[in-house]
Amino acid sequence: MFTKAYIPFRGYYSTPFSRWQGSYANQNSIVLGAETSKRWLAGKNWDPKMFDYLFLGITIGQPKWFYGSPWAAALMGAPDIPGMTISQACTTSATCVCQAAIGVETGLYENPFCLMTDRCSNGPHTIWPNPTGPGGEVVFENWLMDNFGSDPWAKFSMIQTAENVAKEAGLTREQADEVTFRRYEQYMAALDGDREFQKRYMFPVEVSVSKKKTIVVDADEGIMPTTREGLAGLKPVLPEGVHTFGSQTHPADGNCGIVVSSKEKAAELSADPSVEIRVVSYGFSRAKKGFMAMAVVPAAKMALERAGIGIGDVKTVKTHNPFVANDLYMAAQLGMDVMGFNNYGCSLIFGHPQAPTAGRLIIEGIEETVKLGGGYFLWAGCAAGDTGAALVIKVGK
């Protein structure tokens, strides 16, 4: 449990998420993330040199990513600070925030910055020497597709792990479609009032497409118009499965940033010093082999237990739900109304750029909790290798 780690109110941003092979497809995600953070900081009149450490969350290799965090820090305008690069698949953002909170809690850092960025588009193709191979053949992989398609330990594709959970838990296609449509409705609510909710935290991206042309991306790309009839008409991805292409997420690109600091520094940086946002606890887990969607539950239980609260004490819940089975299983196990959480959006609908996905959800959860007058907020999600993570954050005045 943390007692000293705080997030300044509005000390965070997320870019819009771009669809796969969309507006960010040809940008180095480290450069784009650092340049976007620099612009965001300038808009707040914050000097990047105020940070004492940078956590760079990234899971998909980019040119020069060996230099990762110190390179990103220099591009942001903080060339004198060190940092580390963290890669934990879909829970990368939560782990970055946790590590920053540990540092603040122990006095190692006062004001670290977490920058999470990824580009699923145009993923790298990795090649290794194979001296014993016939004719000097190489060992190679398509980083994105091959790893999404097969866990080297469990031997399942990610969607198969979701179907394993759906079958064991007795989930139906009708349930999957109904919850998927509800998640679409919740996302659409974030667009009400000229996108009032999203504009609380979303920061536009400037993309240089040529020496003479720069475009601005200020809204999500890749949101698929959804109806109950449309979902019902889709075929399952796997034979006899409950998931269609409508009830699973889609790869995307984007970045986000979160400041974690001491109570005093957070109050100094906060858009409203009366709003306190404290990182309370972190949970982690690993489900049985080939049942990734189950990992969310023990991680959430650990975070809640460490916070000293129960699910009934939580005001807001957001999940990383690459498959709708995640939410159906979690709701059943924790005694929650599956239709009552993930307000204003989730990765099932707006896409999954890997490292920044959880960060955007955490930011949205904070903003929703502020709108509701404060309380406890739970974020939970699964990640590759049948693992899971969760964070409890308290918002108060």
Side-chain angles (χ1 to χ4, degrees):
M1 184 173 179
F2 302 109
T3 60
K4 301 177 182 178
Y6 289 77
I7 297 172
F9 180 43
R10 302 282 164 82
Y12 41 75
Y13 79 88
S14 174
T15 67
F17 283 0
S18 172
R19 63 178 177 83
W20 193 47
Q21 303 305 120
S23 294
Y24 312 157
N26 298 316
Q27 307 298 306
N28 183 306
S29 65
I30 298 174
V31 175
L32 186 64
E35 290 180 345
T36 304
S37 289
K38 184 176 182 178
R39 289 177 42 247
W40 174 73
L41 291 164
K44 299 181 78 67
N45 293 316
W46 287 357
D47 186 347
K49 295 183 178 64
M50 71 179 179
F51 299 120
D52 49 8
Y53 205 80
L54 176 66
F55 291 92
L56 175 67
I58 182 170
T59 74
I60 301 172
Q62 299 287 277
K64 306 299 183 184
W65 87 317
F66 177 81
Y67 293 90
S69 182
W71 183 31
L75 293 173
M76 280 174 51
D80 298 324
I81 68 168
M84 71 170 67
T85 300
I86 293 177
S87 177
Q88 201 176 43
C90 321
T91 56
T92 294
S93 284
T95 304
C96 287
V97 171
C98 175
Q99 291 299 311
I102 289 171
V104 171
E105 190 79 13
T106 58
L108 185 60
Y109 320 121
E110 182 191 17
N111 196 36
F113 185 63
C114 301
L115 169 61
M116 288 69 68
T117 184
D118 256 328
R119 188 191 76 197
C120 289
S121 300
N122 297 325
H125 294 248
T126 311
I127 297 174
W128 293 271
N130 182 19
T132 61
E137 290 183 0
V138 297
V139 177
F140 64 92
E141 70 174 359
N142 177 321
W143 194 96
L144 186 78
M145 294 302 188
D146 288 348
N147 283 293
F148 279 15
S150 179
D151 179 337
W153 169 242
K155 309 300 183 186
F156 290 117
S157 66
M158 288 192 175
I159 191 169
Q160 183 64 65
T161 69
E163 292 295 355
N164 292 345
V165 173
K167 183 176 181 179
E168 183 167 307
L171 308 180
T172 68
R173 167 66 185 274
E174 290 72 24
Q175 287 177 303
D177 287 352
E178 194 62 26
V179 174
T180 297
F181 183 71
R182 170 62 179 156
R183 295 294 178 257
Y184 176 73
E185 289 182 319
Q186 289 168 304
Y187 175 84
M188 295 304 291
L191 308 185
D192 290 345
D194 190 28
R195 297 177 49 238
E196 181 273 331
F197 182 79
Q198 289 187 344
K199 288 179 179 179
R200 295 166 72 98
Y201 69 87
M202 193 171 282
F203 188 74
V205 179
E206 293 183 357
V207 180
S208 176
V209 294
S210 70
K211 290 183 178 180
K212 296 183 178 181
K213 183 178 180 182
T214 298
I215 62 171
V216 175
V217 181
D218 60 4
D220 291 323
E221 298 177 349
I223 306 300
M224 183 65 68
T226 301
T227 63
R228 286 188 172 90
E229 296 75 20
L231 288 169
L234 296 174
K235 294 181 179 179
V237 177
L238 301 181
E240 300 181 4
V242 303
H243 293 89
T244 67
F245 284 112
S247 52
Q248 66 170 350
T249 191
H250 53 93
D253 308 330
N255 64 80
C256 68
I258 300 175
V259 178
V260 181
S261 59
S262 65
K263 183 176 183 178
E264 297 73 23
K265 191 67 176 178
E268 176 189 329
L269 297 174
S270 178
D272 180 351
S274 70
V275 179
E276 286 191 349
I277 304 167
R278 179 166 64 89
V279 182
V280 178
S281 62
Y282 178 78
F284 57 89
S285 64
R286 187 167 184 177
K288 63 183 180 180
K289 188 176 182 180
F291 285 77
M292 182 176 70
M294 286 184 173
V296 183
V297 172
K301 287 181 176 179
M302 179 187 288
L304 291 168
E305 181 179 348
R306 289 180 169 181
I309 62 174
I311 192 65
D313 300 309
V314 175
K315 181 73 70 71
T316 307
V317 176
K318 299 281 280 190
T319 65
H320 166 51
N321 47 2
F323 306 99
V324 74
N326 286 58
D327 284 355
L328 284 162
Y329 182 79
M330 179 176 173
Q333 293 296 308
L334 296 184
M336 304 164 62
D337 175 8
V338 72
M339 301 298 192
F341 58 93
N342 275 327
N343 292 317
Y344 301 112
C346 59
S347 46
L348 181 68
I349 303 301
F350 56 57
H352 182 26
Q354 295 280 110
T357 303
R360 173 171 172 174
L361 291 162
I362 291 165
I363 291 166
E364 288 189 348
I366 290 171
E367 285 290 339
E368 181 184 354
T369 310
V370 171
K371 279 175 65 73
L372 293 172
Y376 286 103
F377 156 52
L378 170 69
W379 172 85
C382 66
D386 303 316
T387 63
L391 276 175
V392 171
I393 291 173
K394 187 176 183 181
V395 175
K397 288 194 175 184

